[in-house]
Amino acid sequence: MAPNLNSVKNLFVFLGKSLFALLEVMVFTFIPRPQKSVAGEIVLITGSGSGLGRLLAIKFARLGSVLVLWDVSKEGNEETSKMAWEAGATKVYTYTCDCSRKEEVYRVADQVKKEVGDVSILINNAGIVTGKKFLDCPDELMEKSIDVNFKAHLWTYKAFLPAMIANDHGHLVCISSTAGLIGVNGLADYCATKFAAFGFAESVFMETFAKKQNGVKTTIVCPFFINTGMFDGCTTGCPLLLPILEPEYAVRKIVAAILQEKPYLYMPRFMYFIVFLKSFLPLKVGMLLAEYMGIFNSMDGFSGRKKKD
């Protein structure tokens, strides 16, 4: 009899908590969620030497955060540092780090801990794209993509998560991609890394939740192509529903999601509907939709970011 009573009790607890959670979602649909302050927080951004990472650094500089900038390009990182100071940064620390190398990640992480302190917001943003069909992509390029886009997340989490848990305070931010939600023609290796990054970040989120480490937050970001140069030449067949994102818009949404401690952010919003449709649409209908939206040909004109002479 007792097990039955426990089952009934657990059911009512579940229903009560679920109702409260749904009411909370409904309230925040009409009322903006409160945003936390990140003034004084130590924010580490990988891939900060250009593109999205640079813009995130500038945004957090304006919010009063202590910036720790990692990039493989010393020149690009120094330029970001200069722009962050001009934006009103209080403290900026730059480190040259190849995130594809585990030993280098651990070495530079130890340096950061000694020189700056415990990182409280970790933004895994560094990424590369080969833009080649699977059979045309050299093994070394695929391995590099896996090392930068996925494995680096493992090493940075290992380096900085323990202090977040010990302090019961921290925020893990994974910049994945819509290519981490749906396979894309011409992006096989990239999709593999972004699916992996998404799954890893979500799994660690589940671990912290299960262990009631409530002070450690997670935000997983899945944007469509962003006009930073990384995906130059790519197109969309349906710009009304699936537009190429402007960098300023993307950064504004990402920072807002972090400040509001949202676990997931898909951009544009239509991606929430696409993921929902994927869960039940017949395969042929899904393929017809992808064809209509130009997904099969989105990478045809890919040129990527042009290297400086």
Side-chain angles (χ1 to χ4, degrees):
M1 189 70 180
N4 289 334
L5 287 174
N6 281 335
S7 297
V8 172
K9 177 186 173 183
N10 291 338
L11 176 61
F12 277 105
V13 169
F14 163 72
L15 291 174
K17 288 183 176 180
S18 298
L19 179 60
F20 180 80
L22 289 171
L23 287 172
E24 184 182 34
V25 170
M26 290 175 63
V27 167
F28 287 125
T29 300
F30 302 101
I31 303 172
R33 285 181 178 270
Q35 296 190 348
K36 66 182 178 183
S37 171
V38 291
E41 299 282 1
I42 299 176
V43 180
L44 190 154
I45 304 170
T46 67
S48 55
S50 62
L52 188 65
R54 172 173 288 173
L55 294 175
L56 285 168
I58 292 170
K59 184 68 173 177
F60 277 101
R62 291 172 179 154
L63 293 172
S65 303
V66 176
L67 298 180
V68 179
L69 307 179
W70 282 19
D71 201 275
V72 70
S73 168
K74 182 177 180 180
E75 181 184 353
N77 220 18
E78 291 296 338
E79 180 63 23
T80 300
S81 174
K82 179 183 175 183
M83 295 170 76
W85 283 115
E86 291 172 351
T90 55
K91 293 181 181 178
V92 183
Y93 300 84
T94 59
Y95 297 88
T96 302
C97 182
D98 183 349
C99 291
S100 70
R101 300 178 181 273
K102 178 176 66 174
E103 293 77 12
E104 191 165 335
V105 169
Y106 287 160
R107 177 183 61 78
V108 179
D110 286 340
Q111 196 176 345
V112 169
K113 294 171 193 175
K114 292 173 184 175
E115 296 175 359
V116 188
D118 291 333
V119 169
S120 52
I121 300 178
L122 170 63
I123 304 177
N124 274 311
N125 165 75
I128 61 172
V129 58
T130 65
K132 297 179 181 295
K133 293 286 196 293
F134 174 65
L135 292 179
D136 297 330
C137 189
D139 291 356
E140 58 270 19
L141 279 185
M142 285 194 285
E143 289 172 349
K144 186 74 171 180
S145 181
I146 292 168
D147 288 341
V148 175
N149 297 356
F150 169 54
K151 283 188 177 180
H153 295 217
L154 305 178
W155 318 140
T156 55
Y157 269 48
K158 273 282 185 75
F160 299 113
L161 180 56
M164 294 183 185
I165 293 172
N167 298 329
D168 194 33
H169 179 73
H171 202 137
L172 302 164
V173 182
C174 167
I175 306 297
S176 181
S177 168
T178 54
L181 300 170
I182 296 174
V184 180
N185 176 36
L187 281 177
D189 61 309
Y190 186 79
C191 286
T193 64
K194 291 302 184 177
F195 268 86
F198 186 107
F200 168 68
E202 189 172 58
S203 294
V204 174
F205 167 60
M206 294 299 176
E207 280 189 24
T208 57
F209 184 86
K211 293 179 179 178
K212 301 189 186 308
Q213 294 161 346
N214 300 324
V216 181
K217 310 299 180 182
T218 292
T219 297
I220 304 172
V221 181
C222 295
F224 188 57
F225 299 140
I226 303 176
N227 188 23
T228 59
M230 186 174 180
F231 283 96
D232 273 1
C234 295
T235 59
T236 174
C238 195
L240 183 65
L241 296 176
L242 205 60
I244 305 292
L245 303 172
E246 287 304 315
E248 293 76 13
Y249 167 81
V251 168
R252 188 169 69 250
K253 299 293 285 186
I254 292 169
V255 172
I258 295 169
L259 298 183
Q260 295 172 1
E261 298 180 342
K262 289 183 177 180
Y264 302 98
L265 172 66
Y266 301 168
M267 295 184 287
R269 291 185 66 86
F270 186 65
M271 281 308 304
Y272 292 99
F273 186 56
I274 289 288
V275 172
F276 173 65
L277 290 179
K278 183 186 176 185
S279 67
F280 70 89
L281 274 184
L283 178 61
K284 286 186 178 180
V285 178
M287 290 301 184
L288 287 170
L289 178 62
E291 185 176 30
Y292 167 72
M293 300 191 73
I295 301 300
F296 294 149
N297 306 109
S298 61
M299 291 293 293
D300 288 356
F302 173 81
S303 58
R305 183 177 285 118
K306 296 176 177 61
K307 294 182 179 179
K308 294 182 179 179
D309 295 330

